[in-house]
Amino acid sequence: MSHATVDRPVVEFGHVEHVTVHFDDLDALGILHNARYAVLLERALTPYWASRGHGFQGRDSSPDVFHAVREFTIRYHVPIATTGPVAVHFWLEHFGTSSAEYAFRFRSVDGDTVYAEGTRAIVRLDPLTLRPAPWTDAARAVAATLLRPIPGRSC
């Protein structure tokens, strides 16, 4: 199992999912390898969406799971130098017609340390044409639970 069983903190917006850093995620210096952050973010996002009806199940998958990462940015602040649970706080900054932009923070479970933060932009694709396709109403309903509140923005 990829996520820990530690209680998740309450956040004002978005969601916190705990993921587990394993020994083989560490590099030769004993810190989390930079490439593993993208994998751990995916492991935080996947159960959130799957528990809301948007999981990958082969041909029976929700059409909204067919998307590609357009951009991934990350700023590292403090190395993760241990195995065990890490809290991934993620939310949506934007949810458009066929695109979405997440923001995220990797934090210690107690919330005192921010290890890294960044953004991840995705585009929903039509599986036949590989061209951008609009999100379904079901995905929009889930996305509304992740949007960071901005005064004047309607969900």
Side-chain angles (χ1 to χ4, degrees), residues 44-55:
L45 293 169
T46 298
Y48 184 85
W49 282 90
S51 68
R52 290 156 178 81
H54 298 277

Side-chain angles (χ1 to χ4, degrees), residues 2 4 7 11 22 27 29 34 42-43 48 52 59-60 76 81 89 91 94-95 102 107 109-110 120 126 146-147 154:
S2 66
D7 291 336
V11 290
H22 296 277
D27 66 13
L29 301 176
N34 67 84
E42 191 73 38
R43 289 183 181 162
Y48 184 85
R52 290 156 178 81
R59 292 176 189 236
D60 295 329
Y76 303 100
H89 178 200
W91 62 93
H94 169 77
F95 199 78
Y102 286 96
R107 303 184 75 111
V109 171
D110 63 13
R120 177 182 187 250
D126 179 289
L146 290 174
L147 278 169
S154 60

Side-chain angles (χ1 to χ4, degrees), residues 1-148:
M1 179 174 272
S2 66
H3 33 107
T5 58
V6 181
D7 291 336
R8 285 157 187 76
V10 175
V11 290
E12 291 182 36
F13 56 88
H15 178 74
V16 174
E17 187 74 30
H18 289 137
V19 295
T20 302
V21 174
H22 296 277
F23 179 75
D24 60 352
D25 293 321
L26 306 179
D27 66 13
L29 301 176
I31 61 176
L32 182 63
H33 190 281
N34 67 84
R36 301 303 289 171
Y37 284 84
V39 173
L40 293 178
L41 177 61
E42 191 73 38
R43 289 183 181 162
L45 293 169
T46 298
Y48 184 85
W49 282 90
S51 68
R52 290 156 178 81
H54 298 277
F56 181 78
Q57 292 133 2
R59 292 176 189 236
D60 295 329
S61 297
S62 160
D64 298 296
V65 301
F66 198 86
H67 60 266
V69 175
R70 184 181 77 219
E71 182 178 294
F72 183 86
T73 64
I74 190 164
R75 288 170 304 287
Y76 303 100
H77 300 293
V78 178
I80 296 175
T82 184
T83 59
V86 173
V88 181
H89 178 200
F90 59 88
W91 62 93
L92 284 166
E93 288 288 336
H94 169 77
F95 199 78
T97 302
S98 61
S99 65
E101 183 177 310
Y102 286 96
F104 60 86
R105 288 188 188 113
F106 284 81
R107 303 184 75 111
S108 57
V109 171
D110 63 13
D112 290 344
T113 304
V114 176
Y115 297 115
E117 59 188 331
T119 61
R120 177 182 187 250
I122 60 174
V123 177
R124 183 178 180 271
L125 300 175
D126 179 289
L128 298 176
T129 65
L130 298 181
R131 299 292 304 153
W135 301 105
T136 65
D137 289 341
R140 291 190 172 288
V142 175
T145 68
L146 290 174
L147 278 169
R148 180 174 63 91

